[in-house]
Amino acid sequence: MRLLERMRKDWFMIGIVLAIAGAKLEPSIGVNGGPLKPEITVSYIAVATIFFNSGLSLKTEELTSALVHLKLHLFIQIFTLAFFPATIWLFLQLLSITPINEWLLKGLQTVGCMPPPVSSAVILTKAVGGNEGIVITPLLLLLFLGSSSSVPFTSIFSQLFMTVVVPLIIGQIVRRYIKDWLERKKPPFGAISSSVLLMIIYTTFCDTFSNPNIDLDKFSLVLILVIIFSIQLSFMLLTFIFSTRNNSGFTPADTVAIIFCSTHKSLTLGIPMLKIVFAGHEHLSLISVPLLIYHPAQILLGSVLVPTIKSWMVSRQKGVKLTRPTV
């Protein structure tokens, strides 16, 4: 299963590159008003498909049982929803005086607003043997960057409701009636969402490459790449320090969940959200770039660190067992 998951991720990374390259070669196909009609097929149908798919695949019973780890979830929510975006915002105040492209900096703020993904944080947590902690908050982005959108605030909320909340609920309702069939057949939910997401990425960059006024300098791109890796490593270290203090009350398995789920960000939710919040924005693709970089970077760093974190967790768990008094 892990091999298949890794192959799917590799295919998806290649798909992102091909989608952007295809948009560069022939942007007229995916622009607003073009043959694909992305203002309808992407903004509504594609986004709704992703969240209906999520509703079908979301095992509510597992999430309910996971709520027992209340302290763990509370820590992850506070770090993900408050500390992470607030720290990024403060950091961006310093970066705003640098020559880095301002739209890439706004993209960094959107990264801070994203929740962790099921597809990487939870899988890496399982790979180590830790607990799972999942936090979803699609409205956080609006608190930081809603005013930057060219779409009225009320329109954003109504479209979010119709294309995110409603399909998710319908997917959960349908799942109740076909749960046994889903468990037997195991439809390729991940592949379906990834394919739709590639279409969204393609049309987003079609708009960029069809606009001659948009230019991305390589200097800004390289700096953003370095900043993203630095942010990830720093926050992973910070969550490790916080969760391993003597009075933290977290087990080694909890620490693993905290490290991955507090620092990873969702591309599957992020790109559709940006498409809604920044609908019609000429710099949408530039705002999306940091998230497109953050996604493979978190998988790469996570994969590299899994053996080290697993070794640490096993040694700590053995230490705890040795110190327990025998009855």
Side-chain angles (χ1 to χ4, degrees):
M1 288 297 291
R2 290 179 188 172
L3 177 61
L4 290 175
E5 184 63 31
R6 181 174 291 276
M7 290 175 63
R8 187 179 71 81
K9 287 182 181 297
D10 291 342
W11 168 82
F12 183 62
M13 298 305 172
I14 295 172
I16 291 177
V17 174
L18 292 177
I20 296 175
K24 175 68 174 177
L25 291 174
E26 191 53 64
S28 61
I29 296 176
V31 296
N32 285 338
L36 285 181
K37 300 293 182 184
E39 61 273 18
I40 298 174
T41 58
V42 170
S43 298
Y44 292 94
I45 299 176
V47 175
T49 299
I50 285 178
F51 288 99
F52 174 74
N53 189 47
S54 296
L56 279 178
S57 60
L58 190 62
K59 297 181 179 180
T60 313
E61 60 276 11
E62 291 186 2
L63 293 179
T64 303
S65 62
L67 289 177
V68 175
H69 304 285
L70 183 60
K71 185 177 180 180
L72 171 67
H73 286 279
L74 185 61
F75 182 96
I76 293 173
Q77 288 185 34
I78 292 174
F79 191 93
T80 306
L81 309 185
F83 183 84
F84 200 124
T87 303
I88 293 296
W89 183 83
L90 290 173
F91 184 47
L92 291 181
Q93 304 312 302
L94 298 176
L95 291 179
S96 62
I97 63 175
T98 68
I100 300 177
N101 186 289
E102 66 170 309
W103 298 106
L104 290 180
L105 293 181
K106 287 183 181 293
L108 273 179
Q109 183 66 72
T110 67
V111 169
C113 295
M114 292 298 122
V118 173
S119 60
S120 61
V122 174
I123 287 169
L124 287 169
T125 301
K126 284 183 176 179
V128 176
N131 297 329
E132 296 178 23
I134 303 171
V135 179
I136 299 178
T137 173
L139 298 182
L140 182 62
L141 184 63
L142 300 177
L143 299 177
F144 281 86
L145 295 168
S147 60
S148 299
S149 173
S150 58
V151 180
F153 203 66
T154 52
S155 297
I156 292 173
F157 268 106
S158 61
Q159 190 172 348
L160 279 172
F161 183 76
M162 294 304 299
T163 59
V164 175
V165 179
V166 172
L168 192 65
I169 293 174
I170 293 175
Q172 279 284 280
I173 293 173
V174 173
R175 178 181 171 81
R176 287 187 178 184
Y177 293 96
I178 61 172
K179 180 181 176 180
D180 293 337
W181 180 85
L182 292 173
E183 294 297 330
R184 289 197 311 271
K185 298 297 183 179
K186 298 187 183 302
F189 293 117
I192 293 171
S193 292
S194 295
S195 299
V196 176
L197 190 58
L198 288 176
M199 177 184 175
I200 297 175
I201 293 171
Y202 168 72
T203 56
T204 298
F205 279 85
C206 280
D207 286 332
T208 297
F209 293 128
S210 64
N211 188 342
N213 297 322
I214 296 179
D215 182 38
L216 176 60
D217 61 288
K218 295 179 181 178
F219 173 74
S220 292
L221 193 59
V222 171
L223 282 181
I224 289 294
L225 184 63
V226 173
I227 290 170
I228 284 174
F229 272 97
S230 300
I231 287 173
Q232 287 194 44
L233 285 172
S234 300
F235 280 179
M236 290 180 83
L237 177 61
L238 200 58
T239 54
F240 177 80
I241 294 172
F242 283 161
S243 60
T244 54
R245 292 178 303 168
N246 292 331
N247 60 347
S248 69
F250 293 120
T251 66
D254 290 336
T255 295
V256 171
I258 288 170
I259 290 174
F260 288 127
C261 295
S262 297
T263 60
H264 280 212
K265 296 296 181 177
S266 174
L267 182 68
T268 304
L269 175 62
I271 293 299
M273 280 291 297
L274 293 179
K275 195 75 176 178
I276 294 172
V277 176
F278 294 96
H281 203 294
E282 63 176 354
H283 294 99
L284 173 59
S285 62
L286 295 186
I287 296 172
S288 306
V289 165
L291 186 56
L292 291 173
I293 295 174
Y294 197 98
H295 180 75
Q298 69 190 10
I299 295 173
L300 176 61
L301 282 177
S303 300
V304 169
L305 292 174
V306 158
T308 302
I309 295 176
K310 184 172 185 178
S311 177
W312 169 84
M313 191 190 76
V314 171
S315 65
R316 283 294 298 270
Q317 287 177 332
K318 286 181 179 178
V320 170
K321 289 179 181 178
L322 290 174
T323 56
R324 286 177 179 171
T326 56
V327 180

